[in-house]
Amino acid sequence: MKETEYTVVIPHRAEGDELKETIDNIAGTQENCAAIIAEEDRAGRGTGPTRHAGTVKAKTDIVITTDAHMRFQPGALDNLAAFIGEDPTRIGCLSCRTNPECAFAGASYWGADLYEWGGEYALEPKWSKNRLGPGEVACVMGACYGFSKAFYEALGSPWSLARGWGCDETLLSIPARLAGGSVHVLADECAHRLKTGADVGYRQSDAEISAIWYTRYLLLEYVRPDNLPELRGRMRRSASSPARFPKAVREAAEQLDKVRKLSWAEFAAEWLIRDVPAAVPPAAPACEPETPPAVPLHPVHPAFGPLPSVPDPGVRCPHCGRISDRHRITNTWPNGNRRRLCDRCGRPFVSRFPA
């Protein structure tokens, strides 16, 4: 691959020394990075809007966005940029090792599978079950994503539409594929620091949690699947009623329609997992109570919001003992505790925060 200059955009919020260590790692391991833009989210806008703000500032066409607590193999970002430079309609991510030590150890993850209904919301990505190696995937995953700025803008600059910290992978991957692009995971590796509640310097407010749900609804309105009314209804039964979307969302959807080359039916046939796995239990009866315990568990200081903004590394079901990050969350209380349905035995239980 030929040398390709690129800009690295790092959205960050209360990262402390991690940000500097990530920047130093990039400077010491990559040859063709023209600039690093550290974009701070001071107002809790979220991942997508913060990535977008940094992307707008980039002077190169190839942009790579990465979390602020990452490490990279020598040349990994250079290779990702060169891969995209060969075809600007490509979206790419690196294979990812995620662990508390931010080390190149343990299993690698190779992008994400995409579920029409992932158990909690529509068009949900989950770590890919394919561990065979690099290639095309349904959705990027792993906190490091590369793309052409011109292609991103042709899609309607989807990250500019989002709110909250979440859904940026699907907001980039699905529109790119509908516009005739492709989504890939490379063999080059990154390491991502998996944080727990005690490692995070802030807590998400109720408004920020609502913003994530706004973005999940927005994704439906933006890509307009053929079964949009059905998915809207399922989302309403899982969360609150969707917000009204500003004119910018409609305009971006119209822009995506102008470059769309793949019908939703074609996309779904190739890249959506529609069958519910046999191991997933049916939804809990509607009459089952959804009220929190009478005595709050692990109360949180009022100076903080209620929920951690961290990945869920896995929770043990007290009934059957299964440890999984796919137990269905049916309710979250202000103290951070969650009511879940076990993805093996289907029985409800409460997970306490911090675990």
Side-chain angles (χ1 to χ4, degrees):
M1 296 181 184
K2 68 177 183 178
E3 294 183 357
T4 303
E5 286 194 339
Y6 57 93
T7 299
V8 174
V9 172
I10 307 178
H12 65 98
R13 181 184 182 189
E15 288 288 348
D17 293 338
E18 284 283 0
L19 175 62
K20 181 181 183 302
E21 292 174 7
T22 298
I23 292 174
D24 289 346
N25 175 262
I26 294 171
T29 59
Q30 313 302 314
E31 297 291 334
N32 303 322
C33 178
I36 298 175
I37 298 173
E39 189 71 24
E40 184 175 6
D41 182 6
R42 295 179 181 272
R45 296 174 298 174
T47 327
T50 308
R51 291 191 198 277
H52 172 76
T55 298
V56 169
K57 298 175 183 177
K59 303 299 183 184
T60 61
D61 182 57
I62 304 301
V63 175
I64 297 175
T65 71
T66 173
D67 280 12
H69 35 275
M70 306 280 290
R71 303 293 181 268
F72 302 94
Q73 284 185 331
L77 299 182
D78 295 341
N79 291 340
L80 178 57
F83 179 75
I84 297 164
E86 292 177 349
D87 181 353
T89 66
R90 288 172 174 170
I91 304 294
C93 64
L94 302 178
S95 60
C96 181
R97 297 181 186 267
T98 180
N99 51 69
E101 294 76 29
C102 198
F104 291 96
S108 287
Y109 291 96
W110 302 86
D113 295 326
L114 192 60
Y115 291 78
E116 181 176 63
W117 188 260
E120 183 180 1
Y121 60 92
L123 309 184
E124 182 178 357
K126 297 180 183 292
W127 285 115
S128 177
K129 296 179 180 178
N130 173 26
R131 302 295 176 84
L132 301 179
E136 286 199 57
V137 290
C139 185
V140 295
M141 187 74 89
C144 177
Y145 316 127
F147 54 92
S148 158
K149 181 177 178 180
F151 185 50
Y152 168 80
E153 291 172 346
L155 300 176
S157 299
W159 283 339
S160 68
L161 308 173
R163 299 177 186 171
W165 285 76
C167 299
D168 41 314
E169 294 87 2
T170 44
L171 267 173
L172 183 64
S173 301
I174 297 177
R177 183 76 71 179
L178 290 173
S182 53
V183 183
H184 302 260
V185 57
L186 275 61
D188 299 270
E189 290 189 346
C190 65
H192 172 262
R193 189 179 303 284
L194 178 64
K195 294 189 174 186
T196 61
D199 301 321
V200 179
Y202 62 92
R203 303 278 174 83
Q204 286 186 324
S205 66
D206 287 340
E208 289 173 313
I209 296 298
S210 296
I212 295 175
W213 277 100
Y214 172 92
T215 303
R216 291 170 180 171
Y217 280 116
L218 176 149
L219 178 63
L220 293 179
E221 303 298 325
Y222 175 45
V223 301
R224 299 174 178 175
D226 293 343
N227 59 341
L228 177 59
E230 174 194 343
L231 293 179
R232 278 178 182 156
R234 296 189 71 175
M235 291 274 279
R236 288 191 187 101
R237 291 191 292 273
S238 296
S240 58
S241 298
R244 293 185 178 181
F245 300 109
K247 182 181 179 182
V249 177
R250 298 194 301 272
E251 291 175 346
E254 291 169 359
Q255 190 165 338
L256 176 60
D257 283 341
K258 293 177 182 177
V259 296
R260 188 188 300 254
K261 297 182 180 179
L262 201 65
S263 72
W264 186 262
E266 292 169 327
F267 172 83
E270 184 71 17
W271 298 109
L272 276 189
I273 298 175
R274 286 181 143 164
D275 295 332
V276 178
V280 176
C287 60
E288 193 167 2
E290 294 287 349
T291 54
V295 180
L297 306 174
H298 299 286
V300 177
H301 191 279
F304 297 96
L307 295 176
S309 178
V310 294
D312 189 344
V315 176
R316 181 187 297 275
C317 171
H319 305 296
C320 68
R322 176 172 174 79
I323 299 175
S324 174
D325 63 353
R326 297 192 178 188
H327 299 311
R328 183 183 174 200
I329 299 171
T330 59
N331 195 29
T332 300
W333 296 302
N335 62 4
N337 297 339
R338 288 176 166 177
R339 181 185 181 281
R340 303 172 187 260
L341 295 179
C342 177
D343 74 342
R344 173 189 285 168
C345 70
R347 298 173 68 183
F349 66 95
V350 174
S351 61
R352 303 186 179 193
F353 175 78

